[in-house]
Amino acid sequence: MQPDASAKLFSAMKNLRTIILGAIVACAAAGASAADKSSAVKPTSVRPDMDKIKSEVLNPSGRYYYPKLMANYEKNDTLMTLEDYRHLYLGTVFQEDYNPYRRSPFDNEIEQLYYKQSHTRAELDNIIEYAEQALLDDPFDLQQITFLIYALQNRGKVNRAKIWQYRLNHLLEAILSTGTGLDAENAWIVIDPKHEYNILNFKNNIVEEADYVAPHYDYIKVHADASDSKATQGYYFNIRYIIEEYYRKHPEQQE
């Protein structure tokens, strides 16, 4: 990667982070209950073989064929394993319509509503409607899933909230199972830059700053207790596939 290209990419990512952070603030307030439940997820870390995953999700006769996994996910198949969720989440980067920079048009219409401390029944119904529409476009928008759980719970739609909570927990588990986040070698793999902040939010971390680390990592520093010398100072995220998709769409930036 050339120095100029790296600078341009970092600038683009920084601008995107500004947008994301604003939305995450709202997510922290509206989705607190979902975050508390999700933060208990502590899967065993197993570095994924991405070449193998690519081969398996593109194999129509295989167990992990992507359309088959997606159909099971949409049916809320509770028999889906961690490996199923890992292949579903990570296998997204090998799909023709993969776009890590998509932002739902519904976000602009409803975003201010998310910032409110409490909501009326009508407002909760609006959140449910918009979140469901947004998830049709991006099924793994963790922020929208969190808002949807919050609204369903507060409207007394307990069973539907549990279904979405199950999905959210397993998607988080799939991400956290890709590493420890404590160094670049064991960085968590994410398929969307928003997911970095979703993960840290669900872990009750306060983001202080973010840096791009060549060749394809984000290091996000979090607020740590100064009195605790063993407190984690920050986490690493592997954004290789996000960068590759960026350059596929903007090849001129790589020169």
Side-chain angles (χ1 to χ4, degrees):
M1 185 186 300
Q2 298 299 317
D4 287 346
S6 297
K8 291 176 181 177
L9 177 60
F10 179 75
S11 177
M13 293 293 285
K14 187 174 182 179
N15 289 338
L16 185 60
R17 289 189 187 105
T18 301
I19 297 172
I20 292 169
L21 280 172
I24 292 300
V25 170
C27 185
S33 60
D36 290 342
K37 294 177 182 178
S38 303
S39 62
V41 179
K42 296 181 180 179
T44 301
S45 299
V46 179
R47 187 184 303 179
D49 182 338
M50 294 299 286
D51 289 334
K52 183 179 180 182
I53 287 176
K54 179 179 181 180
S55 174
E56 291 175 331
V57 299
L58 298 179
N59 178 9
S61 61
R63 167 180 175 170
Y64 297 116
Y65 185 45
Y66 192 85
K68 184 187 301 183
L69 290 176
M70 181 57 74
N72 289 338
Y73 174 80
E74 291 174 344
K75 288 189 300 184
N76 192 41
D77 186 346
T78 57
L79 297 180
M80 288 182 70
T81 66
L82 174 58
E83 273 307 309
D84 291 330
Y85 270 89
R86 278 162 60 93
H87 279 73
L88 178 64
Y89 179 80
L90 298 171
T92 300
V93 304
F94 305 117
Q95 306 308 303
E96 197 64 36
D97 62 348
Y98 171 54
N99 178 7
Y101 299 103
R102 61 161 51 100
R103 181 166 166 80
S104 172
F106 296 101
D107 288 354
N108 295 329
E109 296 185 41
I110 199 86
E111 192 169 82
Q112 291 304 313
L113 180 58
Y114 293 151
Y115 283 85
K116 298 183 65 174
Q117 293 298 313
S118 61
H119 300 87
T120 65
R121 294 178 62 177
E123 289 171 338
L124 290 170
D125 288 340
N126 282 337
I127 291 175
I128 292 171
E129 179 183 353
Y130 282 110
E132 288 179 336
Q133 289 298 319
L135 288 166
L136 289 176
D137 179 59
D138 181 4
F140 306 136
D141 187 327
L142 304 183
Q143 179 181 318
Q144 292 293 343
I145 293 176
T146 303
F147 286 134
L148 180 56
I149 293 169
Y150 162 80
L152 289 171
Q153 287 175 338
N154 283 274
R155 283 292 280 119
K157 302 178 185 296
V158 179
N159 289 336
R160 287 178 61 194
K162 287 181 178 179
I163 289 173
W164 281 103
Q165 185 70 62
Y166 180 90
R167 289 172 174 169
L168 177 62
N169 287 350
H170 284 75
L171 288 171
L172 292 172
E173 185 178 11
I175 298 171
L176 294 174
S177 74
T178 62
T180 63
L182 299 180
D183 52 46
E185 185 177 356
N186 295 287
W188 289 313
I189 300 175
V190 289
I191 65 172
D192 186 316
K194 297 191 298 294
H195 294 174
E196 299 176 2
Y197 298 91
N198 293 141
I199 287 291
L200 296 180
N201 182 53
F202 290 139
K203 288 173 63 66
N204 296 318
N205 290 126
I206 299 175
V207 174
E208 291 191 346
E209 60 180 286
D211 291 306
Y212 172 70
V213 180
H216 48 247
Y217 301 100
D218 271 345
Y219 175 73
I220 300 184
K221 185 178 179 180
V222 299
H223 177 74
D225 186 348
S227 64
D228 185 358
S229 60
K230 296 182 179 180
T232 302
Q233 304 295 315
Y235 295 94
Y236 287 86
F237 293 87
N238 184 329
I239 57 170
R240 171 187 169 184
Y241 301 96
I242 296 173
I243 291 175
E244 288 181 352
E245 185 63 16
Y246 176 86
Y247 282 138
R248 188 180 75 83
K249 287 184 168 62
H250 307 280
E252 72 283 357
Q253 299 286 358
Q254 201 165 6
E255 299 176 357

